[in-house]
Amino acid sequence: VTPRLIKRISTSLNREVIYLSTSYTEILMKRITPTQEQQEVLSRTLTHILIRPDNAFYASLALGAETYWSNDIPTAATNGKDLVFNPQWFTALNKEERIGLILHELMHMVYHHTIRIGSRDPELWNVAGDHVINTELTKSGYTLPKGGCCDMRFQGMETEEVYNILWDEEQQQPGKHKNNMPDLIAPGDD
């Protein structure tokens, strides 16, 4: 990830956190054209989402989202309306992980995570949202890429509830909830 597309901010937790770029425009300006193989992998994955009868909701969201490719993000991300994928990372996943990943990013949109953040710590908010989404997707039988946040003790909770628990735990043990896979692009940046 190029340094200027990562924002390091000091938070009220007195730690520096990584949050995806405040310049979504910059990501779009540097977007890349996927190879034919990468585009076909995405198309096949979207087709698998579309043909599953229990995915009608996700399918309609996926069809409405613009999709971009960028080497300037480590995995995948959303600004709440578009999807951005790192092509090498995305195509290295297996089919089930790619499906889970797309559904994960779409759920950030559904839950308005880029809007509801308010003045909260962005890294911790991203982690809280990831727990909420990933426990729901895991319970529903989806496979997610390795390394994501998925603590089943948060199953059925709202993002704000999870955030408050994580906040309290961070006060007791700073750095406990490090986000190794940030995927929210700074709110209000489009």
Side-chain angles (χ1 to χ4, degrees), residues 3-49:
R4 68 177 185 275
L5 290 181
I6 294 294
K7 180 180 179 188
R8 295 189 184 278
I9 59 175
S10 182
T11 69
S12 53
L13 286 175
N14 292 322
R15 63 186 173 132
E16 198 173 71
V17 297
I18 295 174
Y19 191 58
L20 286 178
S21 174
T22 57
S23 179
Y24 185 61
T25 302
E26 195 171 2
I27 290 174
L28 291 181
M29 287 175 54
K30 294 182 71 181
R31 70 181 176 238
I32 59 171
T33 302
T35 65
Q36 182 176 347
E37 178 186 352
Q38 291 164 342
Q39 190 59 47
E40 287 173 2
V41 167
L42 176 61
S43 295
R44 283 193 308 270
T45 305
L46 290 171
T47 300
H48 286 291
I49 292 171

Side-chain angles (χ1 to χ4, degrees), residues 51-186:
I51 62 175
R52 276 185 64 170
D54 58 334
N55 279 348
F57 175 70
Y58 296 116
S60 65
L61 290 173
L63 291 173
E66 292 289 331
T67 302
Y68 300 102
W69 299 87
S70 175
N71 289 321
D72 291 324
I73 60 166
T75 56
T78 183
N79 67 343
K81 64 180 184 176
D82 301 325
L83 301 173
V84 184
F85 301 106
N86 176 295
Q88 290 77 28
W89 188 80
F90 183 79
T91 56
L93 299 173
N94 69 42
K95 176 183 79 172
E96 296 304 318
E97 290 171 328
R98 286 192 303 270
I99 290 170
L101 169 72
I102 291 173
L103 298 183
H104 171 94
E105 296 304 331
L106 292 172
M107 291 306 293
H108 277 304
M109 294 175 179
V110 170
Y111 291 146
H112 300 287
H113 283 155
T114 59
I115 298 168
R116 289 171 44 207
I117 187 172
S119 61
R120 295 178 182 92
D121 177 275
E123 180 180 26
L124 206 57
W125 177 255
N126 196 168
V127 170
D130 285 352
H131 279 299
V132 168
I133 292 167
N134 291 344
T135 57
E136 185 176 330
L137 290 173
T138 299
K139 182 181 177 196
S140 297
Y142 292 100
T143 301
L144 297 163
K146 293 169 183 48
C149 303
C150 189
D151 188 334
M152 296 309 284
R153 70 182 165 134
F154 299 127
Q155 184 177 337
M157 296 175 82
E158 296 291 328
T159 308
E160 289 81 0
E161 293 175 276
V162 175
Y163 178 87
N164 290 336
I165 292 168
L166 298 178
W167 176 269
D168 290 343
E169 291 175 358
E170 280 291 319
Q171 300 304 305
Q172 300 300 315
Q173 188 179 353
K176 179 176 182 175
H177 299 288
K178 182 84 175 108
N179 189 358
N180 296 319
M181 298 173 75
D183 66 340
L184 292 180
I185 297 170

